[in-house]
């Protein structure tokens, strides 16, 4: 008889959906959204609707493999787990003896968001003394921008969106990346709210909005300053709120805004003066404007400043004081689940060097004292997702680099491995998940046995610890025991009843410890528009990095509803919906280059060149080109994916990736 088992979506998405998995004879037969989950409410995205096709894909790795050809060729021979672990540990012992443990670099990110499996390697690498990875590829600039203005103030409840009368989906492709936020925005709209989308091209989210505003990539800080200029010039301010809650407003008004008129900043943000003026008036006059800020606009050289500047808007119009008003960037619920019992920083002796995951290319090709001699990749696909793919691949090709990849599929990265280890999917191991798009969490047990010889991240680190000859009892615990350690950790966020709910596998909603719309957890106790501890005391227009690269078109490497970063390319039907790796271009830009629709083209800059099929479309404004998805190399015509064009430069705050801060030129492929 088929059985229905509760599980949780493990992917890097704010929604952390509750799943119902139908299991028959040890196989997942179908997956649907849990109707009783407070956020999911039965609605799943197109990617997870057929998660069983990922879990039981014929492409799954089922046994450890050893390289049997040149690096990158994909030629491997099967070996046993015992042999694989022994070979890895022998090589590491040799490397540590010759070069020290810092010559070993772990590389992981967010293949799974489960608090145990995601962090399962930390204790091991801390004890080993390996180089530490700075995990900053996603949106640390967003956090940095928020922190400069708002300190440790937690996020407001995103469900308030439903009470707003003007919803701004800003730099977020919610229809693809946060479908439950999209649903809630549409509920607000049905109740009479207007819905705006602010993006760099016409996404499905723009189609669902009443109005779409298309900005120049990286131009939102300028737009926000121009809006502030109009709001101040036309006295659309909420003076009482500012007097009681805002620090530094006068300095912004006196020192910065005079140079930020719509006329001055229109060329930077790409919107006409009259549109900026109208936006400012409508935003300021709305009863309770709500901004849902995505991560798209933070992956630029000016990303932190952009986020900080936009976040000033609700303060000057007093939106925080109204139900449904404010700005939401994402929840930070670390306090609810302290990770120390799993990551064990106390295992570290000394302070091994930090290597930015955004600069893997340089780490593998330039870093010295010691050079990186071994790379251990788990639940990440750096050969595809990391910036400056040419540098990354040059590194991965090094014969003297010993690479191990623990994966579910033979990804671009796994193809360069000396040893590949097969990984479980989330249905095959237990974990505890917390959302970063609302305040909820849920635990789940394994729903099915491991596929083939796959093992979870935690199991592999347990085996590696034994292989290294360590007798530390920590590594002999089971995954369930570690999850219990996380649950048992006392924190004011959860009382005993709530923790019991989690143990029973029920989704749990919780609330932040302070009122996020009243109590500002900053040094001054106010919203700090001026922050003298920051290198930039006041918001001001900052350029993006790529303007200095000298190529005429801004490239937007965007997301697709049918994949998640480089995940889901194993599902044939989803991949078919994406068709092929395309470059979207405005008709005028195509005409200026003599290019025609469906033609094979090459986009290039100083770092690389990438082949695309051209799609000419009005959805993209002049001066911008767009490509969606992070394709596996086996499914694209050229040898390189979009990240051959992106750079290893970092954001202004948070040391984040600047994956969207790219300029290129385009020509036909011959
Ligand atoms: N289907 C799907 N879902 C996903 C992902 C996925 O790849 N696919 N990725 C997951 C991950 S890891 C993350 S971090 C989140 C990200 O989800 P989002 O926060 O939505 O971020 P992005 O999709 O990166 O960018 C959002 C939008 O910002 C636009 N954008 C880019 N630059 C700018 C700019 O300068 N100004 C403005 N106004 N807009 C800009 C992009 O065109 C895009 O439509 O989504 C998660 N969910
Ligand atoms: N051009 C471009 N580049 C991007 C982005 C973009 O939008 N455009 N997005 C950026 C962003 S926001 C992010 S967050 C990063 C994401 O970068 P990554 O975190 O590397 O994300 P994925 O590409 O989804 O790769 C995750 C891999 O983990 C594997 N996996 C899943 N579960 C497990 C498990 O339990 N154990 C093990 N060992 N493996 C597992 C999956 O099979 C998959 O291959 O990419 C960044 N790179
Ligand atoms: Mo991300």
């Amino acid at each position: 008889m088929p059985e229905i088992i509760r599980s949780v979506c493990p992917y890097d998405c704010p929604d952390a959906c509750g799943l119902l998995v139908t299991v028959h004879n040890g196989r997942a037969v179908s997956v649907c959204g849990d109707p009783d989950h407070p956020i999911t409410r039965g609605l799943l995205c197109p990617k997870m609707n057929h998660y069983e096709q990922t879990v039981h894909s014929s492409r799954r790795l089922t046994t450890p493999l050893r390289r049997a050809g040149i690096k990158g060729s994909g030629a491997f021979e099967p070996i046993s787990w015992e042999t694989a672990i022994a070979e890895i540990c022998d090589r590491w012992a040799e490397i540590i003896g010759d070069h020290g443990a810092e010559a070993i670099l772990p590389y992981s990110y967010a293949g799974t968001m489960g608090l145990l499996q995601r962090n399962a390697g930390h204790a091991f690498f801390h004890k080993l003394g390996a180089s530490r990875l700075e995990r900053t590829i996603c949106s640390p600039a967003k956090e940095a921008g928020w922190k400069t203005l708002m300190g440790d103030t937690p996020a407001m409840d995103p469900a308030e969106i439903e009470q707003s009368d003007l919803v701004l989906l800003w730099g977020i492709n919610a229809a693809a990346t946060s479908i439950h936020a999209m649903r809630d925005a549409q509920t607000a709209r049905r109740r009479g709210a207007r819905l705006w989308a602010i993006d760099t091209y016409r996404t499905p989210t723009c189609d669902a909005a009443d109005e779409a505003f298309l900005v120049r990539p990286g131009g939102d800080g300028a737009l926000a300053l121009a809006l502030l200029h109009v709001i101040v010039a036309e006295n659309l301010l909420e003076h009482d709120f500012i007097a009681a809650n805002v620090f530094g407003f006068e300095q912004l008004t006196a020192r910065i805004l005079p140079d930020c008129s719509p006329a001055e900043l229109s060329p930077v943000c790409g919107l006409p003066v009259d549109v900026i003026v109208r936006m400012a008036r409508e935003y300021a006059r709305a009863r309770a404007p709500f901004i849902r800020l995505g991560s798209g606009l933070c992956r630029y050289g000016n990303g932190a400043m952009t986020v900080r500047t936009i976040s000033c808007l609700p303060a000057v119009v007093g939106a925080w004081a109204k139900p449904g008003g404010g700005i939401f960037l994402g929840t930070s619920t670390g306090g609810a689940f302290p990770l120390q019992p799993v990551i064990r920083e106390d295992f570290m002796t000394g302070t091994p060097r930090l290597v930015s995951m955004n600069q893997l290319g340089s780490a593998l090709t330039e870093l010295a004292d010691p050079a990186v001699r071994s790379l251990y990749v788990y639940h990440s696909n750096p050969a595809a997702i990391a910036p400056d793919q040419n540098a990354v691949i040059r590194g991965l090709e090094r014969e003297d680099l010993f690479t191990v990849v623990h994966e579910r599929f033979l990804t671009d990265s796994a193809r360069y491995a000396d040893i590949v280890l097969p990984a479980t999917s989330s249905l095959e191991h237990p974990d505890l998940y917390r959302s970063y798009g609302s305040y909820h969490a849920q635990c789940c047990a394994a729903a099915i046995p491991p596929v083939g010889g796959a093992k979870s991240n935690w199991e592999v680190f347990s085996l590696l610890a034994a292989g290294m000859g360590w007798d530390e009892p920590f590594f002999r615990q089971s995954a369930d025991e570690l999850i219990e350690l996380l649950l048992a950790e006392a924190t004011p966020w959860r009382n005993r009843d709530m923790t019991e709910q989690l143990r029973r596998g029920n989704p749990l909603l919780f609330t932040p410890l302070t009122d996020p719309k009243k109590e500002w957890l900053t040094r001054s106790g106010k919203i700090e528009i001026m922050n003298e501890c920051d290198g930039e005391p006041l918001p001001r227009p900052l350029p993006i990095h790529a303007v200095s690269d000298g190529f005429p078109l801004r490239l937007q490497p965007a997301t697709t509803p049918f994949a998640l970063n480089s995940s889901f390319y194993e599902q044939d039907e989803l991949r078919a919906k994406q068709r092929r790796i395309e470059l979207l271009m405005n008709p005028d830009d195509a005409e200026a280059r003599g290019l025609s629709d469906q033609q094979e083209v090459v986009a290039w800059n100083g770092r690389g060149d990438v082949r695309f099929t051209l799609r000419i479309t009005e959805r993209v404004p002049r001066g911008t080109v767009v490509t969606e998805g992070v394709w596996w190399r086996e499914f694209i015509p050229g040898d390189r994916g979009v990240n051959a064009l992106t750079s290893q430069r970092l954001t202004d705050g948070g040391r984040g990736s600047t994956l969207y801060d790219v300029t290129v030129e385009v020509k036909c492929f011959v």
Side-chain angles (χ1 to χ4, degrees), residues 43 56 85 147 163 189 216 295 385 416 496 531 610 624:
L43 175 68
H56 298 293
I85 296 292
K147 220 174 158 55
Q163 299 170 57
R189 187 163 179 257
R216 265 168 88 61
S295 298
I385 59 87
Y416 285 94
R496 204 178 295 165
N531 185 332
V610 181
T624 297

Side-chain angles (χ1 to χ4, degrees), residues 109-110 299 379-381 385 406-408 457 565-567 643:
Y109 197 62
R299 297 192 190 108
H379 76 110
S380 182
N381 184 11
I385 59 87
H406 182 210
E407 246 301 341
R408 302 175 310 167
N457 292 357
N565 305 318
S566 76
S567 288
N643 280 324

Side-chain angles (χ1 to χ4, degrees), residues 96 100-102 122-132 343-353 470 472:
I96 293 169
E102 278 185 328
H122 289 45
F124 178 87
F125 287 113
H126 285 154
K127 190 164 164 57
L128 194 68
S131 289
R132 290 172 302 149
I343 61 180
R344 298 302 300 261
E345 282 175 342
D346 55 311
F347 284 175
M348 246 188 309
T349 45
T351 317
R353 68 182 169 195
W470 299 345
E472 170 65 57

Side-chain angles (χ1 to χ4, degrees), residues 12 109 137-139 299 436 565:
D12 187 356
Y109 197 62
I137 203 163
C138 185
S139 47
R299 297 192 190 108
Y436 62 92
N565 305 318

Side-chain angles (χ1 to χ4, degrees), residues 12-13 47 138 170-173 176-177 198-201 203 215 217-218 220 294-297 299-300 556 559-561 563-565 660:
D12 187 356
C13 164
K47 308 181 296 303
C138 185
W170 196 332
I172 184 170
N173 186 5
T177 62
I198 307 178
D199 208 294
T200 47
Y201 75 111
T203 61
V215 296
D220 305 80
S295 298
L297 39 69
R299 297 192 190 108
Y300 294 87
Q556 177 67 79
T559 43
T560 159
L564 187 136
N565 305 318
Y660 294 178

Side-chain angles (χ1 to χ4, degrees), residues 10-12 107-112 117 137-139 299 357 377-382 384-387 406-409 411 421 423-426 429 455-457 557-559 564-567 570 629-630 632 642-643 646 657 659-660:
Y11 287 96
D12 187 356
Y107 198 97
S108 71
Y109 197 62
T112 170
Q117 304 295 353
I137 203 163
C138 185
S139 47
R299 297 192 190 108
M357 68 184 300
V377 178
Y378 56 116
H379 76 110
S380 182
N381 184 11
I385 59 87
H406 182 210
E407 246 301 341
R408 302 175 310 167
F409 300 104
T411 55
L421 303 172
T424 42
S425 77
S426 65
H429 56 236
K455 290 190 191 296
S456 73
N457 292 357
T559 43
L564 187 136
N565 305 318
S566 76
S567 288
E570 70 281 355
V630 187
W632 293 1
V642 57
N643 280 324
T646 58
S657 69
L659 285 158
Y660 294 178

